[in-house]
Amino acid sequence: MTPSLSLSYSYPRCIHILLLSPPFDPLSKAMATTALMLYPATSSSYAYRKLFHSSHIHCCEDTVGRPRKPQLASLNGLAGFPEKNALLTPTSALPPRPRRIILVRHGQSEGNVDESAYTRVPDPKIGLTKKGMQEAEDCGIRIREMIEKDGAPDWKVYFYVSPYKRTLETLQGLGKAFEPSRIAGVREEPRLREQDFGNFQDREKMRVEKAIRVLYGRFFYRFPNGESAADVYDRITGFRETLRADIDIGRFQPPGQRNPNMNLVIVSHGLTLRVFLMRWYKWTVEQFEGLNNFSNGGMIVMQTGYGGRYSLLVHHTPEELREFGLTDEMLTDQEWQKFARPGELNYDILTTGQSFFTHFDTGNNKT
């Protein structure tokens, strides 16, 4: 059996050679000799003299003098990342899921009040108005009051935020409701940014483009030099996978802690948050286009139900969700989400397909 040979180069010029399957055959001996010829600084070393007399050779230490651990090196450095400890010491129990995912739209911005602001200031640098900052602070208070009703003494919040100025200022307003001990962390996430509307310098042209979008369809229409909602969907898909991975590895709490009273807050923009909900709950394009925008400083709460899955109906009433734009079919699914467990599928929706097929005679179906 041909032994495998692993070479890693570290400072100073030194070869770390690990022979995983002894004994040395001629091919491996030739490979090792070639490697040492490429690094002559080691050719007269003790490691070279031991090369053909030992099946496991460690000819160097790291820069702080500690011997390397080949069993960890073979994992390509994963041992250096605590959140990946599951790969080293797998366990059957996942960390508890955050109790809520709270979606917050930024407060009133200068662009919400005066659309011509976009002709003078780049979209990412549009800030909040005085009213918008107050809306952010009020929203923070509402979030805290909602969480405190749980009666859990160890609750915390963790924030994801768009890098735009108005969302960062909204985050600052929200944060006034929480002591530092309650904030588990903050991550700036560029994929949560606003839809790119292209060139705002020509105000009249932008009005025409927005009117065309209404006729064309809000999801697929792409602004010149900008994005469509479908483009936003693609990047939100990537963020959703990151979020799910963060939940699965328990990134929001220190190693060893398993606090079930964590609350995630995503501070973003109206369309981006609607697309996030569309992607999470697998809503159709038609269902997305029936949704209404969040109010400035408004929030939608995804909260764990009886089975541990996130449902909008745990916190919100059906009337509130209908006002947001959910149909009866979407509300029925949210009711299922309220009792289902993670990993389960709603087979009623998967198998009927009533929203796609129009030829079913529901009164005379044959099985």
Side-chain angles (χ1 to χ4, degrees):
M1 178 177 180
T2 301
S4 56
L5 182 67
S6 172
L7 303 178
S8 62
Y9 178 66
S10 61
Y11 182 86
R13 294 174 63 85
C14 177
I15 302 294
H16 175 208
I17 304 176
L18 174 62
L19 301 179
L20 300 177
S21 305
F24 241 161
D25 66 0
L27 175 60
S28 296
K29 183 182 295 186
M31 292 170 62
T33 302
T34 301
L36 291 170
M37 290 176 63
L38 293 174
Y39 299 95
T42 65
S43 61
S44 59
S45 66
Y46 174 75
Y48 182 77
R49 294 195 301 272
K50 288 285 291 181
L51 181 60
F52 305 116
H53 303 282
S54 173
S55 60
H56 295 277
I57 299 174
H58 309 281
C59 69
C60 64
E61 296 179 340
D62 60 18
T63 54
V64 295
R66 293 190 299 269
R68 295 185 183 271
K69 297 179 180 180
Q71 69 273 21
L72 298 184
S74 65
L75 293 171
N76 294 323
L78 294 184
F81 298 88
E83 69 270 23
K84 296 183 178 179
N85 281 341
L87 296 176
L88 303 176
T89 55
T91 59
S92 58
L94 291 173
R97 304 183 106 199
R99 185 167 181 81
R100 299 177 183 85
I101 301 176
I102 305 166
L103 311 183
V104 175
R105 186 189 177 197
H106 62 79
Q108 183 189 74
S109 73
E110 297 163 351
N112 294 137
V113 175
D114 179 12
E115 200 173 52
S116 68
Y118 294 105
T119 66
R120 303 185 300 271
V121 182
D123 192 13
K125 296 183 179 180
I126 294 287
L128 295 183
T129 63
K130 185 176 180 181
K131 178 182 178 181
M133 182 57 73
Q134 187 61 54
E135 289 173 337
E137 293 179 12
D138 292 343
C139 184
I141 294 171
R142 293 199 305 274
I143 290 175
R144 179 170 188 134
E145 290 175 347
M146 173 180 62
I147 294 173
E148 286 182 333
K149 288 180 181 179
D150 297 338
D154 58 347
W155 62 267
K156 289 181 181 293
V157 290
Y158 186 100
F159 296 93
Y160 291 88
V161 60
S162 158
Y164 278 33
K165 182 178 180 180
R166 54 188 178 273
T167 42
L168 293 172
E169 289 180 343
T170 299
L171 174 67
Q172 293 171 356
L174 294 172
K176 292 183 179 181
F178 306 100
E179 302 86 4
S181 61
R182 294 294 187 182
I183 299 176
V186 179
R187 180 185 295 180
E188 183 178 288
E189 175 52 72
R191 288 173 292 184
L192 290 173
R193 67 188 184 275
E194 174 66 290
Q195 177 184 7
D196 188 347
F197 293 103
N199 192 338
F200 273 96
Q201 274 62 48
D202 189 334
R203 185 180 179 186
E204 189 58 35
K205 183 178 179 181
M206 286 307 302
R207 287 181 176 174
V208 172
E209 295 293 345
K210 289 184 177 181
I212 295 174
R213 177 179 62 167
V214 173
L215 298 175
Y216 190 92
R218 288 192 300 166
F219 187 75
F220 291 113
Y221 182 77
R222 178 182 288 122
F223 287 91
N225 302 311
E227 289 182 304
S228 65
D231 295 321
V232 179
Y233 183 97
D234 292 341
R235 57 176 159 89
I236 285 297
T237 294
F239 169 71
R240 174 182 175 273
E241 296 311 307
T242 298
L243 180 63
R244 287 173 62 95
D246 286 351
I247 290 173
D248 287 344
I249 64 177
R251 183 183 293 276
F252 319 109
Q253 35 199 333
Q257 293 190 15
R258 302 181 64 82
N259 183 356
N261 299 305
M262 188 66 63
N263 298 268
L264 305 186
V265 182
I266 299 177
V267 187
S268 186
H269 309 262
L271 180 135
T272 305
L273 293 173
R274 298 199 309 276
V275 169
F276 176 87
L277 288 168
M278 175 191 182
R279 180 63 184 86
W280 188 280
Y281 291 115
K282 301 176 179 63
W283 292 339
T284 66
V285 171
E286 181 180 359
Q287 289 169 334
F288 166 81
E289 294 193 335
L291 299 177
N292 299 309
N293 208 357
F294 288 37
S295 61
N296 288 118
M299 65 179 182
I300 290 285
V301 180
M302 303 163 58
Q303 186 165 328
T304 50
Y306 299 101
R309 203 176 178 105
Y310 293 105
S311 171
L312 301 177
L313 275 174
V314 177
H315 177 80
H316 298 282
T317 65
E319 290 71 29
E320 288 175 326
L321 296 178
R322 284 195 180 94
E323 185 177 349
F324 177 50
L326 269 67
T327 64
D328 288 342
E329 181 183 20
M330 297 161 76
L331 287 172
T332 299
D333 180 58
Q334 288 300 314
E335 185 67 25
W336 176 85
Q337 302 272 355
K338 189 175 178 180
F339 294 92
R341 294 177 297 180
E344 292 183 343
L345 296 175
N346 189 345
Y347 286 97
D348 289 338
I349 287 183
L350 290 174
T351 55
T352 61
Q354 291 180 7
S355 61
F356 293 95
F357 302 110
T358 58
H359 63 282
F360 293 141
D361 182 354
T362 57
N364 298 297
N365 272 344
K366 295 182 180 179
T367 57

